[in-house]
Amino acid sequence: MTSFNLTDTQASKISSTLTKLRHQMGAPAVGMVLTLVVVCDEAGQYDSVRAATDAAREHPSRILVVIGRDPNEPNRLDAELRVGESSPGEVVLLRLYGQLTKHAESVISPLLLTDTPVVVWWPGASPDVPADDKVGKLASRRITDAHAAKDSVKAITGRSGGYVPGDTDLAWTRLTTWRSLLAAAFDQNVGKVKKGIVEASPGHASAVLLASWLSDRLGAPIQVGESEGPGLTAVRLTLASGGELTLTRSDARLATLSRPGQPDRRVALARRPTSELIAEELRRLDPDEIYASALRHLANGTK
């Protein structure tokens, strides 16, 4: 991996330097399939870059990391370029000072790969309406994470008002395995669900979303209950025919699926790292209608 620093630079200089580095290494950028823009602060950039780089092994990308620094300093753009022979793409850390902190889109636009999708990810604080954000407007896919908010339940509940096709949230992505297992449990007829409960540690955004999705799909009231965690721990669905369908997780790896009249089954339900969540979202760049429906149902239930 080659690292190259540019101080008080411009986007055109960054672009030409990337091309020069790639040609020096004999690795042109034609293999990259998208631009991933990561908007974060200095404290969160290390973990964010690591997750984005790991995700790029499946989706070779130009990763532009936008780090807003002191807005009171004179206008300046510093860049750190990372290109490697075995790297699946390029990583550019952009540190913005002064008025540039309010106009990141002007720095990013010339660095976007042509004729490829643009995805923006906010690992930490995110705009209330991502599609109205200046950087968000550049993207066809916008990824937020309600779990990064001080009140994650309030954050995910508020997503519905500003939802635009292409929006998604990692609080939803974390539910993929839960949703798959629960959907598979209904492959065999278990009858109508009367009510249910999703149990999780207090203030868990994913639990609220899962309850909303289940209620929307099953046409039954699904509550959210508190547990000692960590994270999501159980889904308990009361069946009209009697008995319960339950999916319970006591650790971060395995869960137990129980259905009336059948033996309990141990299933894999591991907590996934952020890199896997981002990689999943990069696999599908079309609007997620099921997520949108769950958001609408959640918003309607809170009015």
Side-chain angles (χ1 to χ4, degrees):
M1 174 72 72
T2 298
S3 181
F4 195 89
N5 293 310
L6 296 171
T7 303
D8 196 8
T9 188
Q10 298 177 349
S12 58
K13 178 65 173 178
I14 296 170
S15 183
S16 61
T17 304
L18 282 172
T19 301
K20 180 180 178 181
L21 290 173
R22 275 291 177 188
H23 282 299
Q24 285 178 349
M25 303 178 68
V30 293
M32 290 184 285
V33 298
L34 58 87
T35 303
L36 175 59
V37 180
V38 184
V39 183
C40 62
D41 56 21
E42 194 68 64
Q45 65 90 4
Y46 178 83
D47 289 337
S48 300
V49 170
R50 184 176 178 180
T53 304
D54 286 346
R57 300 190 187 284
E58 183 177 334
H59 310 275
S61 313
R62 172 172 287 179
I63 301 170
L64 304 177
V65 185
V66 182
I67 305 168
R69 297 299 297 267
D70 191 346
N72 297 315
E73 288 195 22
N75 295 344
R76 190 173 89 242
L77 170 62
D78 294 344
E80 180 183 344
L81 286 57
R82 301 175 185 175
V83 180
E85 293 180 357
S86 59
S87 172
E90 303 164 338
V91 179
V92 182
L93 276 67
L94 303 165
R95 291 182 169 88
L96 282 58
Y97 298 82
Q99 289 298 308
L100 283 180
T101 59
K102 300 178 181 179
H103 301 283
E105 77 286 354
S106 64
V107 176
I108 297 168
S109 295
L111 299 175
L112 302 178
L113 294 172
T114 57
D115 301 322
T116 59
V118 177
V119 179
V120 177
W121 170 36
W122 291 270
S126 59
D128 293 335
V129 183
D132 285 348
D133 180 79
K134 292 180 180 179
V135 175
K137 287 180 179 179
L138 301 175
S140 57
R141 189 75 164 168
R142 295 162 295 275
I143 306 171
T144 53
D145 190 353
H147 284 283
K150 291 182 179 179
D151 187 337
S152 65
V153 172
K154 182 179 179 181
I156 199 63
T157 302
R159 293 274 187 257
S160 177
Y163 174 81
V164 172
D167 291 354
T168 193
D169 196 282
L170 294 188
W172 174 252
T173 320
R174 292 182 180 94
L175 296 174
T176 298
T177 313
W178 282 87
R179 293 190 298 115
S180 297
L181 289 171
L182 289 166
F186 283 89
D187 286 345
Q188 297 181 359
N189 187 20
V190 296
K192 185 173 176 60
V193 173
K194 289 176 58 179
K195 61 181 181 178
I197 187 168
V198 175
E199 298 175 357
S201 52
H204 199 278
S206 294
V208 174
L209 262 184
L210 182 56
S212 179
W213 173 73
L214 284 167
S215 180
D216 187 30
R217 292 290 156 173
L218 299 174
I222 309 294
Q223 297 180 326
V224 177
E226 293 185 358
S227 70
E228 295 182 359
L232 282 165
T233 55
V235 173
R236 306 182 192 278
L237 303 176
T238 302
L239 305 177
S241 57
E244 277 191 335
L245 186 156
T246 65
L247 181 62
T248 57
R249 181 172 67 179
S250 57
D251 59 32
R253 298 179 298 107
L254 295 172
T256 302
L257 177 64
S258 302
R259 290 171 290 182
Q262 297 189 33
D264 292 353
R265 184 160 65 95
R266 296 284 278 173
V267 292
L269 190 52
R271 303 183 73 181
R272 299 185 294 161
T274 304
S275 58
E276 286 190 19
L277 303 177
I278 294 298
E280 177 184 328
E281 288 301 333
L282 296 183
R283 285 183 210 119
R284 54 169 303 166
L285 299 177
D286 55 315
D288 190 337
E289 296 297 338
I290 300 176
Y291 169 65
S293 181
L295 278 184
R296 286 194 298 269
H297 190 82
L298 176 61
N300 290 335
T302 57
K303 290 179 180 179

